[in-house]
Amino acid sequence: MTTTILSTSFQAGSSERGATALDRYGPVTRPDLAYTPEVAAETAPIYEKVKDFIPEIEWPLLAPLIHAINKLKRERNAVVLAHNYMTPEIFHGVADIVGDSLQLAKEAARTDAEVIVQCGVHFMAETAKILSPEKTVLIPDSKAGCSLAESITAEDVRGLREKHPGVPIVTYVNTSAAVKAECDICCTSSNAVQVVESLNAPRVLLIPDQYLAANVARQTDVEVLTWAGACEVHERFTAEELREYREIEPAVKIIAHPECPPEVVDEADFSGSTAGMIDWVKTNLPEKVMLVTECSMADNIASETPGVDYVRPCNLCPHMKRITLSKILDALVEMKEEVTVDPEVADRARQAVERMIHLKS
Ligand code: 13P
Ligand code: SF4
């Protein structure tokens, strides 16, 4: 089936923010960040996993942060959820749960911890808050946005409803809570086809990623209307560069995220969410592989896939890269930055997210 792209407008997603988490949880002493023999010994197994990406000279600066964060997590009854695009020292050093957007959303709903530190971008932290309104959700840098989430507003979605009465609206999870609240159901890159088909409608709106929508449309008979949003990281890959790499390295396996344009996905041996890509590499253990996605992915799985050679290119997500160990430590010491969502908006957005989570797979 074909996709039709509708108009777009750009405006940052919004959410209310409170500043009282520190009052509620009380102060803690800021940890000493000395690289002591105890810190060196406790973090040695972590360094083993990241040593190919972090020079030895930098470890005495990172290890005390990792040690302090892991200690503070216990004091604060906090859990660190980290997206697959976090840097290796976060992914292997302080994350309790790692995953793609769907896995993180499910884990946010499931955890018993009182505090969630969301190491990812703002829409992910909002999704955690929507699913766990009673928990305190912190994001180490609330400026960690997303070009997809910023491409559409709640008002835009209301406009689409008016223009396409009766057409169900599926929103990619990479959107603000206010946008989710206007939609019928959420999807992620790992379940988008299933979600679209679950609606039993001849035509659906799948917003805001035009490329995800185009990639989904090729796998279903449902007509897919979309929006002109795009991921600034994945839209930069071109089919031509992948063909050039294949020419140089004919044995290379290419796997691409479905936020890439369809002609890029056409050049790939497999396309899937970040978790799907990781599973594919772990199952197939190719000699050479190119992950057509954000750069940290390859670094994070390299230690678990010995013998696999990761071939570039990759692109950095500047928003994901705002999250650092220092900011995670500050988040736990100062209980900032707290993510809040208007309860009425959260109730409506939750319906869209839960409808997706409860779909039978
Ligand atoms: P995943 O759901 O595949 O982890 O994707 C999230 C994302 O932001 C990719 O750019
Ligand atoms: Fe958004 Fe793209 Fe960054 Fe993912 S990689 S957070 S979709 S800008």
Side-chain angles (χ1 to χ4, degrees), residues 85 121 123-124 145-148 172 174 231-234 259 294 317 319-320:
Y85 292 164
V121 291
F123 76 79
M124 294 178 177
C146 168
S147 65
L148 279 169
Y172 192 29
N174 296 39
C231 162
E232 68 188 77
V233 174
H234 292 96
E259 289 169 10
E294 216 274 346
C317 172
H319 310 290
M320 291 279 184

Side-chain angles (χ1 to χ4, degrees), residues 128-144:
K129 184 67 184 176
I130 289 165
L131 291 172
S132 305
E134 73 296 348
K135 293 188 180 124
T136 297
V137 177
L138 306 175
I139 183 161
D141 187 334
S142 64
K143 288 197 203 78

Side-chain angles (χ1 to χ4, degrees), residues 129-131 133 177 181 341-352:
K129 184 67 184 176
I130 289 165
L131 291 172
V341 180
D342 175 88
E344 186 272 327
V345 171
D347 283 348
R348 288 189 291 127
R350 190 175 309 115
Q351 288 177 27

Side-chain angles (χ1 to χ4, degrees), residues 288-303:
K288 275 188 200 301
V289 68
M290 182 187 296
L291 305 188
V292 185
T293 191
E294 216 274 346
C295 302
S296 288
M297 278 267 294
D299 300 349
N300 288 336
I301 52 167
S303 64

Side-chain angles (χ1 to χ4, degrees), residues 147-357:
S147 65
L148 279 169
E150 283 159 23
S151 72
I152 191 160
T153 66
E155 203 186 328
D156 292 328
V157 183
R158 287 192 290 273
L160 287 173
R161 270 245 195 256
E162 241 178 72
K163 215 168 146 199
H164 302 277
V167 178
I169 306 186
V170 180
T171 178
Y172 192 29
V173 72
N174 296 39
T175 45
S176 67
V179 163
K180 289 185 180 77
E182 298 295 332
C183 296
D184 298 296
I185 185 166
C186 247
C187 76
T188 70
S189 54
S190 56
N191 62 15
V193 176
Q194 188 200 356
V195 169
V196 163
E197 295 193 333
S198 75
L199 297 167
N200 292 320
R203 186 185 233 209
V204 301
L205 272 148
L206 171 52
I207 56 165
D209 186 349
Q210 58 181 300
Y211 297 128
L212 177 71
N215 287 318
V216 167
R218 300 190 309 170
Q219 300 173 61
T220 178
D221 290 333
V222 178
E223 185 188 352
V224 180
L225 306 181
T226 189
W227 190 252
C231 162
E232 68 188 77
V233 174
H234 292 96
E235 73 173 344
R236 279 159 46 206
F237 293 105
T238 65
E240 201 187 338
E241 68 181 318
L242 300 192
R243 280 195 294 271
E244 279 167 13
Y245 270 93
R246 250 202 225 284
E247 247 179 67
I248 304 166
E249 295 274 8
V252 72
K253 295 291 178 197
I254 298 181
I255 59 178
H257 195 277
E259 289 169 10
C260 294
E263 65 276 14
V264 171
V265 172
D266 279 344
E267 296 298 326
D269 297 290
F270 172 78
S271 173
S273 73
T274 55
M277 293 168 96
I278 292 174
D279 285 349
W280 191 93
V281 176
K282 285 185 178 169
T283 308
N284 293 283
L285 292 175
E287 231 168 81
K288 275 188 200 301
V289 68
M290 182 187 296
L291 305 188
V292 185
T293 191
E294 216 274 346
C295 302
S296 288
M297 278 267 294
D299 300 349
N300 288 336
I301 52 167
S303 64
E304 291 159 25
T305 52
V308 177
D309 184 9
Y310 291 87
V311 182
R312 304 298 166 173
C314 62
N315 290 327
L316 281 171
C317 172
H319 310 290
M320 291 279 184
K321 278 1 224 224
R322 280 183 173 274
I323 309 297
T324 61
L325 284 177
S326 309
K327 288 182 191 169
I328 299 170
L329 181 62
D330 286 350
L332 283 164
V333 171
E334 296 169 36
M335 294 303 288
K336 68 173 193 181
E337 303 179 35
E338 187 172 9
V339 176
T340 59
V341 180
D342 175 88
E344 186 272 327
V345 171
D347 283 348
R348 288 189 291 127
R350 190 175 309 115
Q351 288 177 27
V353 180
E354 284 186 343
R355 220 173 144 191
M356 163 186 82
I357 288 178

Side-chain angles (χ1 to χ4, degrees), residues 52-78:
D52 290 339
F53 311 102
I54 300 174
E56 217 175 326
I57 197 168
E58 282 180 26
W59 196 241
L61 295 174
L62 299 177
L65 287 164
I66 291 172
H67 187 257
I69 291 166
N70 286 331
K71 196 159 161 266
L72 256 183
K73 278 193 314 199
R74 295 190 285 274
E75 266 175 60
R76 292 292 200 195
N77 188 14

